[in-house]
Amino acid sequence: MKTLLSLFCLVTYLTCALSANGWPVSLDMACNKALSAVACSFEFTNNANEDLYLLKRNTPLEGLRSQFVSVSLDGHPLQYEGIIMYSLPPTKDEFVLLKAGESVSASVQITDAFSIDTDGLYTVQYSRPLQYLSVNEMSAMPTGKLRESFVRESVHIHLEDASLLLKPKEEGDAGIDYTVHLQDCGSATFKNGDVQNSATLTAHKKLCGGIDKAKGKVGNTSISTTWFGADDSSRITKIKGIYQKIRDGLSSQNCIYYNNGPLCRSNTYAYTYKTGTTVYLCTIYYRDPTNCSKTGESKEGTLLHEWSHTYGKIDDVVYGRANCKQLAKDKPDDAARNADSYLYHYCDAQ
């Protein structure tokens, strides 16, 4: 039935949702062109026989603040150009209670994060697992381990006059306060006032030499095994290549630091746009020490995390030391594309 419905979508160019069953939380989605944007709606349903708490983070329920969908045109993937948030572990207020059989819905404009400018057949696919807790597990927060419900929903939509659609843009237009040119390390520009700018500059300058040191400790070291798993020649080459991309980006680009970014929240360290050259700094970032730590967070580590998105083009798979260590054991290939894994490896290597 699902195959027939997919074929119907392709033949008629109608927007339709392909639903999957078998997981405690399911998803139905649909996308439509509305004026100068493409809007997608998402409905999450609790199919279990018990009440569940669904995490809003990394879903449309918190808005378009992470990549939870992938978009392709005639099979060719589009670059995600939206926000990537780096935040504290989830707290209770980031969950929504879904009673057994109940649903919750939200909608976002995917044109805020993808450049859709060519006519043709687009596929929008949900690309992140849904995370949830039972009522009993929620009472044990923050020690409770999040469970996951995998969804494979996708929507096909044929677009015409796509060149007229709105394009993604970064938030915040504060003027440049000043720029510091650094020998062999590009330049750093500061916007929106002075909030520990000297500490941020110190952390930025440490990255340039620190990345070379971290790159030299990829493979054949206990630090490498801890954060990226057992040695594998192709994976080692990939990790070293990502470090080099970050180093090259810092050396050749004007790196912009925007204080108190307009989208900062109380639990956010920093955020960036995957195709931008600006890191937006938030309240928690300013509370951390400047130099790397092997037990906590730091300004230096946060900047490495953020530039790994922009220049290394990698993602957020999991957060936190314990989760990253487990990821290296269970799924080392995922560790090689996880920003926090690079943060902890980098800091341990200093």
Side-chain angles (χ1 to χ4, degrees):
M1 179 64 183
K2 184 172 180 178
T3 302
L4 291 175
L5 182 57
S6 177
L7 181 61
F8 176 76
C9 294
L10 290 170
V11 172
T12 63
Y13 298 139
L14 291 176
T15 300
C16 51
L18 309 179
S19 300
N21 297 314
W23 293 98
V25 183
S26 63
L27 166 67
D28 284 315
M29 55 184 288
C31 297
N32 292 281
K33 181 180 177 183
L35 298 177
S36 57
V38 175
C40 293
S41 61
F42 305 83
E43 183 177 72
F44 304 95
T45 301
N46 178 5
N47 297 311
N49 57 5
E50 62 174 330
D51 299 345
L52 299 174
Y53 282 91
L54 177 65
L55 180 63
K56 294 182 287 185
R57 184 184 294 186
N58 297 325
T59 78
L61 298 175
E62 67 163 2
L64 195 48
R65 292 174 176 263
S66 60
Q67 183 177 4
F68 46 78
V69 294
S70 59
V71 179
S72 60
L73 170 60
D74 297 327
H76 301 287
L78 274 61
Q79 173 69 52
Y80 175 73
E81 301 176 40
I83 304 167
I84 301 179
M85 287 278 187
Y86 179 35
S87 305
L88 285 169
T91 53
K92 291 183 178 181
D93 62 344
E94 291 187 73
F95 291 80
V96 58
L97 175 62
L98 271 183
K99 293 185 178 295
E102 282 190 349
S103 300
V104 63
S105 61
S107 62
V108 299
Q109 293 184 172
I110 62 169
T111 37
D112 289 343
F114 295 92
S115 291
I116 298 176
D117 53 16
T118 302
D119 294 358
L121 182 64
Y122 287 81
T123 300
V124 182
Q125 180 163 0
Y126 205 88
S127 56
R128 292 190 82 117
L130 304 176
Q131 297 182 304
Y132 65 96
L133 293 171
S134 68
V135 173
N136 289 337
E137 289 167 335
M138 175 59 79
S139 65
M141 279 285 287
T143 58
K145 182 176 176 58
L146 292 171
R147 289 194 275 170
E148 294 185 336
S149 184
F150 291 87
V151 293
R152 294 289 184 268
E153 303 309 306
S154 61
V155 167
H156 302 291
I157 178 170
H158 187 268
L159 296 175
E160 297 179 352
D161 298 324
S163 61
L164 302 178
L165 294 171
L166 295 173
K167 301 299 181 286
K169 63 179 180 179
E170 291 194 26
E171 297 292 333
D173 57 359
I176 293 173
D177 292 333
Y178 63 91
T179 299
V180 179
H181 298 283
L182 305 167
Q183 186 175 2
D184 299 324
C185 198
S187 59
T189 289
F190 291 88
K191 292 186 174 185
N192 206 31
D194 187 346
V195 187
Q196 301 183 26
N197 287 0
S198 61
T200 297
L201 182 60
T202 296
H204 175 91
K205 288 191 289 187
K206 289 177 71 68
L207 290 181
C208 294
I211 288 173
D212 293 336
K213 184 182 292 187
K215 179 182 173 184
K217 294 186 179 180
V218 176
N220 298 317
T221 68
S222 59
I223 295 173
S224 183
T225 302
T226 297
W227 300 114
F228 297 121
D231 285 349
D232 174 87
S233 58
S234 62
R235 192 183 312 117
I236 290 172
T237 299
K238 177 181 179 179
I239 295 166
K240 287 184 175 182
I242 289 172
Y243 267 130
Q244 189 60 49
K245 288 178 181 177
I246 302 170
R247 180 68 173 87
D248 291 344
L250 292 173
S251 300
S252 61
Q253 300 293 323
N254 178 29
C255 299
I256 301 171
Y257 294 105
Y258 190 116
N259 288 308
N260 293 314
L263 299 180
C264 284
R265 297 181 296 185
S266 61
N267 65 346
T268 308
Y269 286 99
Y271 65 91
T272 188
Y273 290 76
K274 206 164 187 178
T275 56
T277 57
T278 300
V279 169
Y280 297 83
L281 305 173
C282 304
T283 301
I284 303 173
Y285 166 86
Y286 302 119
R287 299 174 187 167
D288 285 337
T290 299
N291 298 337
C292 266
S293 167
K294 293 185 178 181
T295 56
E297 306 304 326
S298 64
K299 292 181 174 65
E300 185 179 358
T302 293
L303 298 188
L304 189 281
H305 177 115
E306 294 304 305
W307 292 126
S308 73
H309 290 310
T310 297
Y311 298 132
K313 303 301 181 186
I314 60 173
D315 305 310
D316 285 328
V317 181
V318 298
Y319 299 97
R321 287 180 176 271
N323 290 333
C324 287
K325 286 181 179 180
Q326 195 62 47
L327 185 68
K329 292 179 181 179
D330 299 340
K331 299 179 179 179
D333 287 340
D334 283 349
R337 64 180 185 87
N338 181 50
D340 249 12
S341 299
Y342 285 82
L343 182 164
Y344 298 127
H345 175 268
Y346 169 91
C347 282
D348 281 5
Q350 301 311 303

